[in-house]
Amino acid sequence: MPSSRSRRRVEANYWPGFVDALSSLLLVIIFLLSLFMLTQFFLGQEIQGRDTALSRLNSQIAELTELLQLERANSDDLTSQLATLTATLATADAQNQSLTSQLSGIGAGLGDRDDTIAGLQEDLISAEKLSDEANAQVTLLNQQLAALRTQIAALESALEASETRDTESRTQIADLGRRLNLALAQRVQDLARYRSDFFGRLREILEGRADVRVVGDRFVFQSEVLFDPGQADLTAAASPQLDALAEAILQLEAEIPADINWVLRIDGHTDSRPISNARFPSNWELSAARAISVAQYLVGKGVAPARLVAAGFGEFAPLDPGTTEEAFRRNRRIEFKLTEG
């Protein structure tokens, strides 16, 4: 009979281990998905900033293109005016030659032609004045045309420079995205390596304790190891375990490079039974107070406060959804998780 009861007891212990394994797998998947979403978020923010700069450059290029088209239209108008003035000058030159021919054909001995000669001379002077004015206008238009061509050349140079900057910006954005992905992957890999070393040390320190377990990427302390029921003050028996944990964290702080942002998250959990303690209105306050007590103890042992995060989950993240005393005991816990800051 004792042998049969022992056999049934061993068989009944398989189910919690199976549930722990499934919970660990689920938590690992959730962590990887969260890390992926965080990486995509920061990468999206960086690319969005580069897209904004690229849109601004495209807007500048469009404005320069419109200005270039306007200047080219002005150039066409000036060219048309120059052609008109050139035609007017040619007409004046023809009239000048005609008047000169008429004047040369008049005989010097014909006194009755003096009035005609005087009139022709006045017409010649007027034609010469018109020719001088046309020449001046042509010269001015040539100068304006040269200046306009200079402006067009400058605008074309600016447009080419903008297009070059646009191409360089696209290249820089692509290179930045690639380097960002590499940097994020390297940081994740480095943090995973230090997390593995940290957990390895804790396993050596806490080896043989049945009330301290590894669940996925977390160390789990049963609340009874650190606290009395319904209380948030650490017991005297908690000091050896927390001292060993503080020593491992201090070694980790000295080894991890300063450019890797990491924190040790301390999560407080309770069972689902209502609390009967005037100090804590709910299990949520109790779990948060316990996590803060552990964080304060570690700070007192020299751990940097910036490397600690205390969080209370109350009864809302159980390891075991059952309502047995064993399920309640497993859900009352303090979890330690090394993660990104």
Side-chain angles (χ1 to χ4, degrees):
M1 285 300 289
S3 176
S4 176
R5 291 178 180 175
S6 176
R7 191 179 305 110
R8 285 198 298 270
R9 188 179 303 109
V10 172
E11 292 175 353
N13 287 333
Y14 290 162
W15 176 249
F18 180 70
V19 172
D20 285 347
L22 288 180
S23 300
S24 301
L25 179 59
L26 179 60
L27 289 173
V28 169
I29 293 174
I30 292 174
F31 172 74
L32 293 176
L33 288 176
S34 301
L35 183 61
F36 177 77
M37 292 176 66
L38 183 62
T39 303
Q40 290 299 108
F41 173 76
F42 284 119
L43 180 60
Q45 291 293 107
E46 188 67 22
I47 293 177
Q48 183 178 2
R50 293 302 183 274
D51 288 340
T52 302
L54 182 61
S55 298
R56 187 167 56 252
L57 287 174
N58 289 333
S59 177
Q60 293 178 356
I61 291 173
E63 292 177 359
L64 289 174
T65 302
E66 292 178 359
L67 183 59
L68 178 61
Q69 292 176 350
L70 181 60
E71 294 295 337
R72 286 175 173 171
N74 292 335
S75 175
D76 293 338
D77 292 339
L78 290 175
T79 302
S80 177
Q81 293 179 8
L82 179 61
T84 302
L85 290 174
T86 302
T88 303
L89 179 61
T91 301
D93 289 338
Q95 292 177 355
N96 188 13
Q97 293 176 359
S98 176
L99 292 172
T100 302
S101 299
Q102 292 178 12
L103 184 61
S104 62
I106 299 174
L110 298 176
D112 56 351
R113 300 289 183 168
D114 291 341
D115 295 337
T116 302
I117 292 173
L120 291 175
Q121 287 177 342
E122 291 177 357
D123 293 339
L124 179 59
I125 293 172
S126 299
E128 289 176 348
K129 289 182 179 180
L130 180 61
S131 177
D132 292 338
E133 291 177 357
N135 286 330
Q137 290 182 0
V138 169
T139 301
L140 179 60
L141 287 175
N142 285 330
Q143 294 175 353
Q144 293 177 350
L145 184 59
L148 184 59
R149 287 174 177 171
T150 302
Q151 292 178 358
I152 292 174
L155 288 174
E156 290 177 345
S157 299
L159 182 59
E160 292 177 357
S162 297
E163 292 174 348
T164 302
R165 287 196 300 269
D166 183 28
T167 303
E168 292 176 352
S169 297
R170 292 179 183 274
T171 303
Q172 291 176 357
I173 289 172
D175 183 63
L176 180 61
R178 181 183 59 82
R179 288 187 294 171
L180 181 60
N181 287 333
L182 291 176
L184 289 175
Q186 184 63 39
R187 288 293 176 268
V188 171
Q189 184 178 0
D190 292 343
L191 186 60
R193 177 168 58 85
Y194 287 112
R195 184 189 296 115
S196 177
D197 295 342
F198 175 65
F199 280 2
R201 292 173 189 165
L202 288 184
R203 286 192 183 94
E204 294 176 0
I205 294 172
L206 303 173
E207 184 177 6
R209 293 193 59 91
D211 48 10
V212 179
R213 296 174 293 115
V214 178
V215 179
D217 59 347
R218 297 161 295 153
F219 262 89
V220 179
F221 284 69
Q222 296 305 130
S223 294
E224 289 77 6
V225 180
L226 306 176
F227 303 99
D228 290 331
Q231 301 298 321
D233 297 325
L234 292 168
T235 63
S239 297
Q241 286 76 23
L242 294 181
D243 289 344
L245 177 63
E247 181 180 355
I249 296 173
L250 291 175
Q251 292 179 2
L252 187 70
E253 284 185 311
E255 295 176 3
I256 296 182
D259 60 343
I260 297 180
N261 192 16
W262 63 274
V263 293
L264 181 67
R265 204 177 78 189
I266 306 168
D267 299 338
H269 299 267
T270 66
D271 58 34
S272 59
R273 292 178 294 187
I275 187 173
S276 58
N277 189 328
R279 182 181 174 188
F280 304 108
S282 69
N283 286 324
W284 214 340
E285 282 87 350
L286 175 60
S287 63
R290 286 179 170 179
I292 293 173
S293 295
V294 174
Q296 290 174 339
Y297 185 90
L298 294 177
V299 171
K301 293 299 180 180
V303 178
R307 296 301 184 187
L308 299 176
V309 175
F313 289 83
E315 69 270 26
F316 303 112
L319 289 178
D320 191 335
T323 56
T324 64
E325 187 61 36
E326 177 62 21
F328 290 150
R329 189 191 70 80
R330 293 185 67 248
N331 290 333
R332 295 191 301 269
R333 66 198 188 277
I334 297 293
E335 295 183 354
F336 298 91
K337 180 178 180 180
L338 187 67
T339 184
E340 289 184 282

